[in-house]
Amino acid sequence: MGYYNQHYPPDPNRKRGNRWVLPLIIGIIAGALFVSFIIPGIVDKEDRTVDNGELRNNANSADIGTKQVVSLDVSTRITEIVGNVSPTVVGVSNIQNQTNYWAQQEAAEAGTGSGVIYKKDNQYAYIVTNHHVIEGADEIEVQLSDDSVLKARLLGTDLFSDLAVLRVDGSKIKSTIDMGSSDALKVGEPVIAIGNPLGLMFAGSVTQGIVSGKQRTIPQDFNMDGRPDWQAEVIQTDAAINPGNSGGALINMDGQLVGINSMKINQEAVEGIGFSIPINTARPVIDELEKTGQVKRPYLGVEIYSLDEVPRSEWAETLNLPDNIEGGVYVWSVEPLSPAAKAGMERLDVITALDGKPIGNVIELRKVLYQEKEVGDQIKVTYYRNGKKLHSTMTLRAQ
């Protein structure tokens, strides 16, 4: 009889049907524990956020049914700048007396624009706007950011820079704008325009863009004779500047005034091109208008254009310039009895230096003339005529 082949007879008293009862009971208990404790813990963990290793509940949320409403803080640098600067940008209304059907005089709003509060003393506040905004006005009104209206006095205006200075009662003026530097601007730098496009109904409108170009020159024809009378130096931006924005503020990302919005190319084929007067160019004009009411500029008495407006081939063929000349301005006409006329300058002479400083274009000539010279000063002009280098000393007169 071997041990490995030994068989035992079955127990006749054993109940085979009770084997599955105990595992079933254990499974039910385990499932209940899982549903009661494990799943809620997982869901609760998913509804928490981890911050520096610590769990933190979303405090700014409230359950409404099965949805959550989350409170978000959308404040940005731009909203902060706009909040600080907007009270310094005002609406300017040009009021002119008109004769009605019954031959009676009545005041009517001839146009609106924008202005910027740049200074305040113990009695008055001072506002810069555009010349064309207040041109021909019999009365000028200023609307503040709180919709209150003040009468304004015109202290001075200048056609060539398109700038004007107003003065109002300073008791209701709480803040003035900070001045920046337009020379420090870089192409591609973000800027903000604030003003009143299309009238005071859109007062305080804000647009954002970038500096598209610096030291742009735009020809200005004041007497509408088809020939430019002036070359305005401007900042080009793609921030939307529409009629009514004129006189408003161009702001950098430090909340500083870098330009006075002035012009827009209004052509169907042109979009996203606006212009602003650089504040470094405007500031001395503003100071002079505030103090004397007018701007006295020294001038040579010539109509000039930059050489870069002429094809290079014409430099040698028409103007007879030497090959080493890299820039300058050419004379288109000479005003009779002007300093240039008395010095013997002629049409198509090319100015290359003033007081020994190289002149590459119209802007560089104006900077030397307007920033370094005064009426009555003498200036040495270097120019070329038919390939010959000439010098002449002129006494500057007021324009």
Side-chain angles (χ1 to χ4, degrees):
M1 182 173 62
Y3 290 98
Y4 296 100
N5 295 321
Q6 184 176 5
H7 294 278
Y8 295 92
D11 185 357
N13 297 321
R14 187 178 180 182
K15 296 182 180 179
R16 300 171 60 115
N18 294 334
R19 295 180 181 179
W20 54 271
V21 175
L22 182 59
L24 176 61
I25 294 173
I26 294 174
I28 293 172
I29 294 173
L33 291 174
F34 183 80
V35 172
S36 300
F37 297 100
I38 305 300
I39 291 180
I42 295 174
V43 173
D44 182 63
K45 188 174 182 179
E46 290 179 349
D47 285 341
R48 296 170 180 263
T49 56
V50 179
D51 185 10
N52 297 327
E54 296 180 2
L55 293 176
R56 183 178 61 191
N57 286 324
N58 292 324
N60 293 331
S61 65
D63 290 334
I64 300 178
T66 59
K67 298 182 179 179
Q68 284 189 336
V69 177
V70 181
S71 175
L72 299 177
D73 182 4
V74 294
S75 294
T76 65
R77 179 61 179 157
I78 294 177
T79 60
E80 293 175 3
I81 293 172
V82 171
N84 292 332
V85 173
S86 287
T88 69
V89 179
V90 301
V92 179
S93 296
N94 182 327
I95 310 298
Q96 297 183 11
N97 294 328
Q98 299 178 357
T99 303
N100 62 19
Y101 180 79
W102 308 104
Q104 296 175 332
Q105 289 285 331
E106 58 182 17
E109 186 179 272
T112 61
S114 307
V116 183
I117 307 171
Y118 69 91
K119 177 182 175 181
K120 180 184 176 184
D121 57 27
N122 293 332
Q123 190 174 2
Y124 301 109
Y126 300 84
I127 298 168
V128 59
T129 185
N130 285 146
H131 163 83
H132 74 263
V133 170
I134 53 83
E135 186 176 12
D138 295 303
E139 296 179 18
I140 301 172
E141 292 181 346
V142 169
Q143 179 175 303
L144 305 181
S145 59
D146 62 1
D147 293 333
S148 59
V149 177
L150 302 176
K151 293 289 185 181
R153 177 183 175 185
L154 177 62
L155 295 184
T157 185
D158 180 58
L159 172 66
F160 289 92
S161 65
D162 194 25
L163 293 171
V165 172
L166 311 176
R167 189 179 73 186
V168 297
D169 179 12
S171 61
K172 292 187 177 182
I173 305 300
K174 298 180 180 179
S175 59
T176 61
I177 202 164
D178 293 331
M179 293 283 192
S181 172
S182 53
D183 289 345
L185 288 174
K186 298 179 180 179
V187 175
E189 180 176 341
V191 287
I192 302 168
I194 304 179
N196 310 309
L198 308 179
L200 299 180
M201 63 182 297
F202 296 109
S205 292
V206 178
T207 56
Q208 183 189 15
I210 62 171
V211 175
S212 304
K214 297 175 59 179
Q215 294 187 338
R216 303 297 200 206
T217 54
I218 305 297
Q220 301 291 289
D221 182 7
F222 300 126
N223 56 12
M224 306 302 292
D225 63 354
R227 297 193 60 82
D229 301 302
W230 185 256
Q231 294 282 336
E233 177 187 351
V234 294
I235 301 166
Q236 180 187 338
T237 177
D238 66 348
I241 298 175
N242 295 286
N245 273 116
S246 289
L250 190 70
I251 309 297
N252 64 15
M253 296 309 290
D254 289 324
Q256 299 171 331
L257 181 68
V258 294
I260 305 297
N261 300 328
S262 180
M263 294 168 289
K264 177 179 173 65
I265 297 179
N266 291 314
Q267 298 179 8
E268 292 183 2
V270 177
E271 291 291 341
I273 299 182
F275 297 103
S276 185
I277 303 167
I279 195 61
N280 287 32
T281 300
R283 191 176 299 175
V285 176
I286 293 171
D287 292 341
E288 195 166 354
L289 290 176
E290 181 187 324
K291 294 174 183 177
T292 68
Q294 59 182 340
V295 178
K296 292 183 179 179
R297 293 185 176 87
Y299 88 126
L300 299 175
V302 290
E303 181 183 350
I304 54 177
Y305 296 91
S306 298
L307 270 182
D308 55 19
E309 299 179 26
V310 178
R312 278 270 182 174
S313 60
E314 298 296 327
W315 290 24
E317 296 176 6
T318 302
L319 300 174
N320 298 314
L321 291 174
D323 293 337
N324 64 335
I325 298 299
E326 295 296 329
V329 297
Y330 68 94
V331 176
W332 183 253
S333 64
V334 181
E335 182 179 326
L337 303 179
S338 67
K342 292 179 179 180
M345 292 198 72
E346 299 178 0
R347 177 184 170 95
L348 297 186
D349 287 347
V350 178
I351 299 173
T352 58
L354 294 178
D355 281 346
K357 295 183 178 181
I359 298 299
N361 51 48
V362 172
I363 292 176
E364 291 178 2
L365 183 143
R366 288 212 313 267
K367 283 185 175 179
V368 173
L369 203 60
Y370 298 157
Q371 297 180 6
E372 302 179 16
K373 293 294 181 178
E374 296 181 359
V375 174
D377 288 349
Q378 289 190 333
I379 190 168
K380 182 180 179 181
V381 181
T382 302
Y383 60 98
Y384 283 83
R385 179 185 298 163
N386 294 323
K388 184 178 180 181
K389 188 176 184 178
L390 302 173
H391 302 280
S392 182
T393 301
M394 308 177 190
T395 300
L396 299 172
R397 287 171 41 191
Q399 188 173 30

